[in-house]
């Protein structure tokens, strides 16, 4: 039993390392990740033309915070805004080609990280008595 507990603890330690790498990139390089601009990019990929107000509601953030994040994506050339033709007070947001590529890469990296984490956990089950 103690050996299994030690094995579980070691796999949890490895999992924590993998999760940290997925959020900060290999070698400590900051990357877009699902918890920040990466999550915003994937939402824009899934919902082209979404409004800032709707994004705020989905991510539970203040409009000022969302405006800042969207401005950063625009400055990086990953997203752009269009005035809504039916309500000129509303801006709708879309991904550029670069933004679509970045969102696709984030999605692939997230899936690969999850598979790696869960494959590590399944090895414990395979080795149990």
């Amino acid at each position: 039993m103690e050996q299994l507990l030690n094995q579980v603890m070691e796999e949890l330690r490895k999992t924590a390392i993998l999760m940290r790498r997925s959020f900060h990139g290999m070698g400590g390089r900051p990357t877009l990740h699902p918890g920040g601009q990466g999550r915003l990019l994937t939402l824009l990929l899934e919902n082209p033309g979404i409004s800032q107000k709707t994004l705020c509601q989905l991510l539970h953030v203040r409009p000022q915070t969302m405006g800042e994040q969207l401005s950063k994506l625009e400055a990086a050339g990953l997203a752009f805004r269009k005035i809504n033709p039916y309500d000129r007070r509303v801006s709708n947001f879309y991904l550029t080609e670069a933004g679509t590529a970045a969102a696709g890469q984030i999605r692939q990296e997230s899936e690969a990280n999850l598979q790696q984490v869960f494959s590590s956990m399944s090895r414990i089950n395979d080795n149990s008595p």
Side-chain angles (χ1 to χ4, degrees):
M1 183 68 174
E2 187 175 328
Q3 181 182 3
L4 181 60
L5 180 61
N6 288 337
Q7 190 177 7
V8 168
M9 293 302 293
E10 178 61 20
E11 292 302 325
L12 286 173
R13 184 187 68 76
K14 289 177 186 175
T15 300
I17 291 169
L18 288 172
M19 304 266 311
R20 190 174 13 200
R21 284 182 184 164
S22 73
F23 286 111
H24 297 291
M26 300 301 286
R29 288 189 331 262
T31 61
L32 292 171
H33 56 82
Q37 288 181 346
R39 177 68 180 130
L40 185 53
L41 281 174
T42 56
L43 275 173
L44 289 171
L45 180 66
E46 295 164 359
N47 305 286
I50 194 168
S51 70
Q52 181 174 336
K53 181 178 181 179
T54 305
L55 285 168
C56 289
Q57 292 168 344
L58 288 172
L59 295 174
H60 306 288
V61 297
R62 297 181 342 202
Q64 297 86 349
T65 303
M66 182 57 62
E68 186 177 319
Q69 291 300 315
L70 289 167
S71 292
K72 287 180 182 180
L73 289 180
E74 285 182 294
L78 300 174
F80 65 94
R81 70 179 80 204
K82 283 186 183 177
I83 300 296
N84 186 314
Y86 303 106
D87 186 350
R88 299 190 55 76
R89 298 170 295 173
V90 175
S91 291
N92 298 103
F93 290 86
Y94 301 87
L95 291 178
T96 62
E97 287 184 32
T100 302
Q105 180 182 356
I106 289 166
R107 193 177 267 174
Q108 286 177 344
E109 288 174 5
S110 294
E111 288 173 8
N113 286 336
L114 283 175
Q115 282 204 321
Q116 190 173 8
V117 166
F118 288 119
S119 72
S120 172
M121 298 304 270
S122 68
R123 283 195 300 264
I124 293 171
N125 195 25
D126 294 341
N127 294 335
S128 62

